[in-house]
Amino acid sequence: MVAVLCNKRVLVCAFPIFKILFVVIALCICSGPISAISTPLRFNRKGEFKILQVADMHYADGKTTACMDVLPNQVDGCSDLNTTAFIQRMIKAEKPDLVVFTGDNIFGLDATDAAKSLDAAFSPAVMSNIPWAAVLGNHDQESTLSREGVMKHIVNMKNTLSLVNPPDAGIIDGFGNYNLEVAGVSGSQFHNKSVLNLYFLDSGDYSTVPLIPGYGWIKASQQSWFLHTFSRLKKAYMDHPKPQKESAPGLVYFHIPLPEYASFDATNFTGVKQEGISSPSTNSGFFTAMLEAGNVRAVFTGHDHKNDFCGKLLDINLCYAGGFGYHAYGKAGWARRARVVAVKLKKTSKAGWGAVKSIKTWKRLDDQHLTAIDAQVL
C-alpha cells in the first residue's frame, strides 16, 4: 500500500513496485494548488505588515541592575524593568506582526546567569504571542553561555522564528544567519508567494585577525549564503503563479553597522548622529553584495546607541534604531527609543492585494505619550 498526501487528503492505493512512478503522477494531479512557501508570517487583510525593532536592550539581572545615563530624578527605581516596561508599551501601542531584536540583547559582563537574563529580556515578546526574531551583538556571549550557546537558547524559546543557522547552508560563519519570508494576503494572488523577504545575519563581535583591530564583520561565507538565498527567492517570485518582473523587496537586520554608515552627514539623513560610526575597521564588501543582489530596500542595525538616523546610499537605506535599553549607555534627557517599519501592499481590486507598494518607518520615544518622530518613506 502506498499513501499519497495531497493538500491534507490522503489517497491510499495498492501499487506494484514497478509502477511506483504513478505516485509521482498522483502528486502532480492532486486537486488544488500546493503552497509554494511555508511561513507563519503573512500580510493582514488590510495589506499591512509591521515590524518593531528593539536594539541594544543590554539586559542584565533585572530589578537589581541600575540604569545608565538617565536624569538625576530618574535614577531611583530605574532598572532593567524599565526596559521590560518599554517593550510592553511598544507592543501594546503598535501591535506589530513581528518583533526583531538586533543584538546586545543582554550585557554579558553584568549578567550573572545568561539563560535567566535572556528569558527575562525576551519575556515581553514571548508573553505577547507575537512572532519574534533575534540576532546577536558583541556583548551577548560575555556571561555564562558561549555565542553559540546564547543562540541555541534563543531558538528554543516560545514564539521565536530565530535559527542558529540555515540547515542547508553548510559551513557558515557565526550564529544566527537565517531568512524569513512574508507571504501575501490570504486568498490573494500572492497567497503562495513571499512578497517581502527578511534577512538576519550575525555581524560578529570582535576581530579574530591579529592585524585587524576592532569589531567583527559579515564574512564571505555569510555573504555567499545571502546571495544564494536572495537568488532562490527572486527566482520563486518571478516564477508561476503570477510571475513578477523583479525580486521582492528585502530588509536586512544585524547588529554592527557597515563602514558605509559613515557616508552621511546632517544634510542627507533623517534623525540624529551623536557619536562616531563604530563599524569594523575593514570593509568586507557586504554593502556591495546587497547592491549586487538588487532590491534590498533597507538595513537596520544597533550598536551605536546615540545614533538613530536613516539615510539612503545608492538606493539602500541604512538605518539605526537608537538605544532601547536602560542598562545601555545613552544620553541623559534623550529618551530611549525603538524603530517601527510598516509595509503596505498595492490594492488591486475591491478585495484584492498585490505586491509591496510602500515601506515606511518611524521611531517612538519612551516618554509619556510614546511620541512618534521622524516618519519617512524608504
Side-chain angles (χ1 to χ4, degrees):
M1 303 290 285
V2 178
V4 181
L5 181 62
C6 299
N7 292 329
K8 298 183 180 179
R9 295 185 301 170
V10 177
L11 309 179
V12 182
C13 312
F15 284 101
I17 294 298
F18 63 86
K19 293 185 178 181
I20 196 68
L21 179 61
F22 283 102
V23 174
V24 178
I25 297 174
L27 282 170
C28 296
I29 65 175
C30 285
S31 61
I34 297 175
S35 177
I37 62 173
S38 176
T39 174
L41 301 178
R42 182 177 295 279
F43 280 78
N44 65 26
R45 292 289 184 178
K46 296 181 180 180
E48 298 170 343
F49 189 84
K50 186 183 288 185
I51 303 170
L52 167 63
Q53 180 190 0
V54 175
D56 299 274
M57 288 189 291
H58 277 234
Y59 213 95
D61 286 346
K63 66 181 180 180
T64 63
T65 302
C67 294
M68 296 178 62
D69 296 328
V70 295
L71 295 172
N73 64 347
Q74 297 174 315
V75 172
D76 289 344
C78 189
S79 71
D80 280 335
L81 300 187
N82 289 63
T83 302
T84 297
F86 186 20
I87 301 176
Q88 292 169 334
R89 294 181 73 202
M90 284 298 304
I91 290 175
K92 182 178 180 180
E94 289 289 359
K95 299 178 176 59
D97 300 288
L98 177 69
V99 182
V100 175
F101 297 90
T102 50
D104 282 2
N105 308 296
I106 63 173
F107 187 66
L109 293 175
D110 291 339
T112 306
D113 184 315
K116 289 182 178 179
S117 292
L118 289 165
D119 290 343
F122 295 123
S123 63
V126 171
M127 297 301 292
S128 72
N129 287 321
I130 294 171
W132 60 277
V135 293
L136 301 183
N138 53 294
H139 290 303
D140 289 288
Q141 77 290 340
E142 293 172 342
S143 179
T144 55
L145 288 174
S146 67
R147 196 167 183 83
E148 181 178 12
V150 169
M151 203 64 210
K152 285 184 175 179
H153 185 87
I154 288 172
V155 302
N156 285 317
M157 296 180 70
K158 182 182 177 184
N159 297 325
T160 188
L161 303 178
S162 308
L163 292 176
V164 174
N165 272 327
D168 58 347
I171 298 175
I172 185 171
D173 286 283
F175 304 99
N177 304 286
Y178 55 101
N179 69 288
L180 297 174
E181 303 173 34
V182 187
V185 176
S186 180
S188 73
Q189 57 188 346
F190 288 92
H191 175 91
N192 292 329
K193 278 185 181 289
S194 176
V195 296
L196 177 69
N197 297 316
L198 309 177
Y199 303 88
F200 305 86
L201 294 107
D202 180 3
S203 54
D205 48 11
Y206 303 97
S207 172
T208 57
V209 180
L211 295 178
I212 302 177
Y215 292 107
W217 56 86
I218 295 172
K219 306 290 178 56
S221 62
Q222 297 167 280
Q223 296 183 42
S224 178
W225 164 80
F226 169 79
L227 289 171
H228 174 78
T229 303
F230 202 104
S231 177
R232 173 177 59 81
L233 293 172
K234 179 179 180 179
K235 181 179 179 181
Y237 192 64
M238 297 175 70
D239 202 355
H240 296 280
K242 194 65 181 177
Q244 298 299 298
K245 295 181 179 180
E246 60 180 1
S247 59
L251 304 179
V252 184
Y253 289 88
F254 49 89
H255 181 70
I256 298 174
L258 301 171
E260 283 80 6
Y261 272 67
S263 302
F264 304 106
D265 57 42
T267 66
N268 58 1
F269 65 67
T270 301
V272 297
K273 178 183 178 183
Q274 302 178 114
E275 62 178 309
I277 309 301
S278 299
S279 61
S281 59
T282 185
N283 193 326
S284 68
F286 186 55
F287 185 81
T288 301
M290 290 188 291
L291 288 175
E292 179 184 341
N295 216 15
V296 172
R297 300 288 290 277
V299 175
F300 301 96
T301 65
H303 192 54
D304 298 326
H305 308 175
K306 294 188 289 185
N307 294 340
D308 72 353
F309 68 79
C310 190
K312 181 178 285 189
L313 179 66
L314 299 177
D315 290 331
I316 298 178
N317 294 278
L318 301 179
C319 303
Y320 280 108
F324 190 100
Y326 278 86
H327 186 54
Y329 79 83
K331 183 179 179 181
W334 191 67
R336 265 60 176 185
R337 57 204 58 214
R339 182 172 290 280
V340 180
V341 173
V343 187
K344 182 76 174 178
L345 300 181
K346 297 175 184 176
K347 187 72 172 176
T348 58
S349 64
K350 185 176 180 180
W353 295 99
V356 169
K357 175 183 179 182
S358 66
I359 303 175
K360 298 180 180 179
T361 186
W362 58 90
K363 291 160 294 189
R364 281 192 184 267
L365 309 181
D366 191 19
D367 59 15
Q368 183 179 355
H369 304 289
L370 281 179
T371 305
I373 63 169
D374 294 341
Q376 63 186 116
V377 177
L378 301 181

